Amino acid sequence: MSGEKHSLSKDFSSPACGGTTVLPMTHTDSNRLQPFDLDEIMNCMHCGFCLPTCPTYQQTGLETYSPRGRIALMKGVATGQLPVNEEFEQHMNACLGCRACETACPAGVPYGSLLETARHVVQETKQETAKPSVLRNLIFERVFPYPKRVRRLGHVLWGAQALGLQSFANRTGLIRVLPKSMREMQKAVETVASPRERRKREQHIKAEGETKLTVGLFTGCVMDVMFFETNQATARLLTKAGCDVVFVEAQNCCGAMHAHSGEMAGAKELAKRNIEAFEQAGVDFIVNNAGGCGAALKEYGHWFKGDPVWEERAKRFAARNRDANELLAELPPLQFSKPLNYKVTYQDSCHLAHGQGVRNQPRELLRRIPGLELVEMRHPDSCCGSAGTYNLTQFEMSMQILDDKMEEVRETKAHLIVTSNPGCLLQMKQGILRAGLDKQMEAVHIMDLLDRAL
C-alpha cells in the first residue's frame, strides 16, 4: 500500500506533512463545542500505532488523513484554537469510520464516537449559516426515518428491474445521467424481492423442535430492501437452531447513517423508536445480520449517556443485541447436510470486527460447512472502502481502497468472497466487476452461504 513508503517519524505539527497548523488559528463559539469530551481526546498519545491500520493514511501519507491527525484537529476545535470550517469538514468526511485504529490503539481511544461528535459539530455549525441541501434533507428527514417510504423505494427499484429499465439504461447509455459513483454501484445491485414476496413473510416463525430462545430479527432499512432474501435466510437458520423468530413491525432504521453523518438528533429519535418497539415485543435477544447496524444498536447506551430518561433503557436494549454470527456460534451446532466444495475467503465487516469484536464466530461457522476451504487474505479486516455512503460521497478514494483490497482477494484464488454486512457485500460485488473476476468469483453474505449448506 502507498502509505508504507512514508516515514512515521514526521514532525507531527509540520504543515509539510499535513499536520495541525494547516487551518487558521481562530476561536469559535464554546457552546457549539460542548459535545466534545476533552478527556477522550487527550487520551491520544500520538504514538502512531494507528497509522499502518488507517486506509486513508495509507493512500495519502498525510497526517491529517490519519486518526491521530484528525484527533489533533478535533482538539484544536474543542479548545477554540481552530475554526469549524470547510477544511475541517473535509478531513472529518474523508475518514471511513472503519475503526481499525481502535483495535490498534494501546490507549483505548474511542475514535468512532469522537468522529461522530466532530461531524455533529460540523453540521451544527453549518445549520447556523445555511439550510441543509435538498438531497440531505430528502435522505435524513424525508425517507430513512419512515420504514414505509423505504419499502416503497424498494418497490420502485423492483419495478424498474422487472420492466427492464435498468438494463435498458445501461444498454443505451442513459445511465450516464447518474453520477459516476451511482453508475458504478448499480451494476452490483442484484434483483430485489417483489412486493408480493415481501407480503408473504410471516411475522412470527416457530423454532424447529424445542424453543430455546425467542429473538426479534432486526431487519434494517437498506438490508430489507436490497437483501430481503438474506433476512429470510437468517430467520431460517435461527429457527433451525431452536429460536422462535419475530419480525417486529414497529422497528425502523438503526440510525447509524444519521450518526455517522453528524445528524445525532435524528439518530436518537430512530433509536428511541427501536428501543420502544423491542421492549414491547418481549424478545430474549435482538439479532441482526449487518455489521454496521449491529455496531450502532450496541452503542445506544453511549448515544444516550447522561440522559435521565433514556440512558438505562438504551443500555438494556444494547445488552440484548447479538450479531447473527455470535448467536449461531453460541447455540447447538447446525447440522449442515449439503457439502459446498468451494474455496472461500472471509472479508471482515469493519463494524463487526473492530466495532463489536466479532471475528472468530463467522470463521467458526464457515469451517463447520462440509467441503468448504477457508483461505485468509493478507489483511481480512482492512476496510473495503464501502463505509456506509462513503463509496458515493468519496468515490475516488473508495475505489482506490477497493482496488487494493481486490489484489489481496485475487491472491487467495477463492471462488467466494464471504462477508457479514450489506454495504461490504455490494462493494465486494463491485470490486469483482472492476477486477474482471466476475466469471470466476462470487460475493455472498455469510447467512446466505450457511443457508445453502442446509
Side-chain angles (χ1 to χ4, degrees), residues 76-134:
V77 166
T79 56
Q81 294 178 292
L82 296 177
V84 182
N85 61 8
E86 288 184 7
E87 195 163 7
F88 179 76
E89 179 183 9
Q90 173 194 334
H91 290 307
M92 297 306 112
N93 288 346
C95 179
L96 293 133
C98 70
R99 298 171 65 173
C101 53
E102 290 188 16
T103 300
C105 181
V109 176
Y111 178 82
S113 63
L114 289 175
L115 179 67
E116 286 179 356
T117 300
R119 289 175 174 172
H120 173 66
V121 168
V122 167
Q123 290 307 312
E124 289 287 296
T125 306
K126 289 174 73 173
Q127 286 172 14
E128 294 174 6
T129 57
K131 290 182 178 180
S133 69
V134 173

Side-chain angles (χ1 to χ4, degrees), residues 287-291 298 321-327 352 356 358:
V287 182
N288 77 89
N289 54 22
K298 289 180 179 180
N321 270 276
R322 296 287 185 277
D323 182 80
N325 291 286
E326 279 184 288
L327 193 60
L352 188 58
Q356 301 180 61
V358 177

Side-chain angles (χ1 to χ4, degrees), residues 150 198 218-231 234 289-291 293 420-423 425 445 447-448:
V150 175
R198 295 173 189 281
F218 189 84
T219 55
C221 44
V222 173
M223 187 75 201
D224 211 36
V225 166
M226 303 187 74
F227 300 103
F228 177 85
E229 270 305 318
T230 303
N231 279 341
T234 306
N289 54 22
C293 294
S420 300
N421 189 58
L425 182 57
H445 194 287
M447 293 297 122
D448 290 316

Side-chain angles (χ1 to χ4, degrees), residues 49-63:
F49 277 89
C50 60
L51 300 185
T53 71
C54 176
T56 54
Y57 179 80
Q58 291 294 301
Q59 292 293 330
T60 66
L62 296 175
E63 192 71 37

Side-chain angles (χ1 to χ4, degrees), residues 52-340:
T53 71
C54 176
T56 54
Y57 179 80
Q58 291 294 301
Q59 292 293 330
T60 66
L62 296 175
E63 192 71 37
T64 47
Y65 277 69
S66 74
R68 74 175 184 184
R70 291 187 180 104
I71 289 173
L73 295 177
M74 294 177 202
K75 178 183 175 183
V77 166
T79 56
Q81 294 178 292
L82 296 177
V84 182
N85 61 8
E86 288 184 7
E87 195 163 7
F88 179 76
E89 179 183 9
Q90 173 194 334
H91 290 307
M92 297 306 112
N93 288 346
C95 179
L96 293 133
C98 70
R99 298 171 65 173
C101 53
E102 290 188 16
T103 300
C105 181
V109 176
Y111 178 82
S113 63
L114 289 175
L115 179 67
E116 286 179 356
T117 300
R119 289 175 174 172
H120 173 66
V121 168
V122 167
Q123 290 307 312
E124 289 287 296
T125 306
K126 289 174 73 173
Q127 286 172 14
E128 294 174 6
T129 57
K131 290 182 178 180
S133 69
V134 173
L135 182 60
R136 191 176 183 91
N137 181 267
L138 183 69
I139 291 171
F140 295 117
E141 300 291 337
R142 304 294 180 186
V143 177
F144 282 95
Y146 303 99
K148 287 183 180 178
R149 295 179 187 178
V150 175
R151 286 195 290 271
R152 286 188 198 118
L153 279 178
H155 298 343
V156 171
L157 178 57
W158 170 82
Q161 291 177 333
L163 293 170
L165 298 180
Q166 184 182 12
S167 57
F168 175 78
N170 279 306
R171 285 197 315 272
T172 61
L174 284 175
I175 202 73
R176 293 194 188 96
V177 300
L178 294 176
K180 186 177 180 182
S181 56
M182 295 186 72
R183 292 201 305 269
E184 289 284 317
M185 178 178 281
Q186 61 86 29
K187 295 176 185 175
V189 175
E190 296 189 357
T191 305
V192 300
S194 70
R196 182 181 178 184
E197 285 179 90
R198 295 173 189 281
R199 285 194 295 269
K200 283 171 23 182
R201 177 157 68 190
E202 297 177 37
Q203 296 303 302
H204 192 140
I205 307 173
K206 292 291 294 179
E208 293 189 11
E210 181 187 354
T211 299
K212 300 177 178 67
L213 295 168
T214 299
V215 302
L217 187 63
F218 189 84
T219 55
C221 44
V222 173
M223 187 75 201
D224 211 36
V225 166
M226 303 187 74
F227 300 103
F228 177 85
E229 270 305 318
T230 303
N231 279 341
Q232 296 298 92
T234 306
R236 286 192 291 270
L237 291 163
L238 289 167
T239 57
K240 285 184 179 293
C243 298
D244 283 0
V245 177
V246 180
F247 287 89
V248 178
E249 185 66 27
Q251 66 176 293
N252 52 216
C253 173
C254 66
M257 189 163 63
H258 284 72
H260 298 163
S261 302
E263 301 282 346
M264 278 310 300
K268 287 181 180 180
E269 285 305 311
L270 292 168
K272 288 176 184 178
R273 292 186 217 163
N274 282 325
I275 292 168
E276 289 178 332
F278 283 95
E279 281 176 347
Q280 292 169 14
V283 295
D284 299 311
F285 292 106
I286 301 136
V287 182
N288 77 89
N289 54 22
C293 294
L297 297 170
K298 289 180 179 180
E299 288 173 0
Y300 279 7
H302 170 76
W303 288 9
F304 290 99
K305 185 178 180 181
D307 187 311
V309 177
W310 287 95
E311 182 175 9
E312 288 306 314
R313 291 174 71 180
K315 285 181 178 178
R316 288 195 296 270
F317 174 89
R320 289 191 298 142
N321 270 276
R322 296 287 185 277
D323 182 80
N325 291 286
E326 279 184 288
L327 193 60
L328 288 171
E330 291 171 10
L331 291 167
L334 291 165
Q335 300 302 310
F336 296 110
S337 59
K338 183 179 178 183
L340 299 180

Side-chain angles (χ1 to χ4, degrees), residues 363-428:
R363 291 170 168 84
E364 180 184 333
L365 291 170
L366 288 172
R367 290 189 181 103
R368 292 177 188 174
I369 298 176
L372 209 69
E373 179 186 357
L374 178 62
V375 182
E376 295 283 6
M377 64 183 94
R378 282 184 287 129
H379 302 99
D381 62 351
S382 67
C383 188
C384 64
S386 173
T389 59
Y390 191 92
N391 52 2
L392 296 176
T393 61
Q394 306 280 336
F395 178 71
E396 296 302 331
M397 179 69 78
S398 172
M399 293 302 104
Q400 290 172 30
I401 293 166
L402 175 60
D403 291 343
D404 283 349
K405 169 64 71 172
M406 291 309 300
E407 285 304 311
E408 295 193 11
V409 170
R410 191 191 296 271
E411 290 171 6
T412 67
K413 296 181 170 57
H415 304 114
L416 301 176
I417 310 172
V418 182
T419 190
S420 300
N421 189 58
C424 300
L425 182 57
L426 274 177
Q427 185 83 339
M428 299 316 293

